[in-house]
Amino acid sequence: MTTNDSGSAPKPPAKDPWDLPDVSGLTVGVLGGTGPQGRGLAYRFARAGQQVVIGSRAADRAQAAAEEIGHGVRGADNAECARDSDIVIVAVPWDGHAKTLESLRDELAGKLVIDCVNPLGFDKKGAYALKPEEGSAAEQAAALLPESRVTAAFHHLSAVLLQDETIEEIDTDVLVLGEARADTDLVQALAGRIPGMRGIFAGRLRGAHQVESLVANLISVNRRYKAHAGLRITDV
């Protein structure tokens, strides 16, 4: 029997950051699934074979949007969407963010929640970032949902590209933030379900503000260059 010099057991090898779980069997709910970003994400995940439920304050509105999206997407009110999903993406407008999450605290308990909301303001100079009292939209979600596992991702995606059925791949990376590696690995794996997309771990939730704020810069890029810009992380 051999031991190392210190007498302690050897350290296990570092986990491969690209060794991600299989999420293909999980149901994805999208709160705000009738809006452009929510519809786009729902379409892409359903097209990739994921079971998807979109939520809205009005079930009939969600059902109508689900029929338009197709690919087996189901529509429901927000509470049913949250209850019936394993992973719930929050894609509601910023001005309804807190109220929506407060009303769904029980339904979202124990769920993996992905917040993709960008707190922004607009004036004659264009878009600018807002800073919530909690620090970011994701941190507000974590404060309002103490029994949920809150992560942040999918902030920098073009709703136009997501909804364009002629586009086969979305050429972009998704920055993923969260407190537990098991949770961020799941989100990274979910992002990877969309062809052309990668999920990249980008830190803890305390770093969410600058990720959310970058959308204001991307809006400026898009207006100047008439584009639908995204992000790519190099050397990873």
Side-chain angles (χ1 to χ4, degrees), residues 189-230:
L190 184 64
R193 294 279 289 161
I194 300 176
M197 194 177 291
R198 296 189 307 172
I200 305 290
F201 175 71
R204 304 270 186 159
L205 282 187
R206 67 181 184 180
H209 173 65
Q210 54 261 39
V211 173
E212 296 167 3
S213 300
L214 186 57
V215 174
N217 303 93
L218 289 177
I219 290 172
S220 296
V221 170
N222 290 336
R223 287 181 175 175
R224 174 64 63 89
Y225 298 102
K226 303 296 187 287
H228 301 292

Side-chain angles (χ1 to χ4, degrees), residues 176-187:
V176 179
L177 301 96
E179 300 303 317
R181 178 160 187 172
D183 294 337
T184 56
D185 279 358
L186 282 170
V187 180

Side-chain angles (χ1 to χ4, degrees), residues 69-127:
I69 296 169
H71 296 276
V73 174
R74 182 165 64 86
D77 63 30
N78 282 331
E80 183 178 344
C81 173
R83 282 195 301 268
D84 292 354
S85 302
D86 301 300
I87 299 175
V88 179
I89 299 173
V90 181
V92 300
W94 167 241
D95 59 6
H97 184 261
K99 185 176 180 180
T100 299
L101 296 184
E102 284 175 337
S103 70
L104 298 172
R105 182 174 296 171
D106 291 341
E107 289 82 359
L108 291 172
K111 306 282 184 177
L112 176 58
V113 174
I114 307 172
D115 200 296
C116 71
V117 175
N118 303 301
L120 298 176
F122 295 86
D123 60 19
K124 292 181 180 180
K125 295 182 180 181

Side-chain angles (χ1 to χ4, degrees), residues 115-149:
D115 200 296
C116 71
V117 175
N118 303 301
L120 298 176
F122 295 86
D123 60 19
K124 292 181 180 180
K125 295 182 180 181
Y128 60 94
L130 303 174
K131 188 163 188 179
E133 181 180 350
E134 297 85 354
S136 64
E139 288 169 295
Q140 183 183 85
L144 293 171
L145 303 172
E147 296 182 33
S148 302
R149 295 139 51 209

Side-chain angles (χ1 to χ4, degrees), residues 2-12:
T2 61
T3 61
N4 59 15
D5 292 340
S6 66
S8 60
K11 291 183 178 180

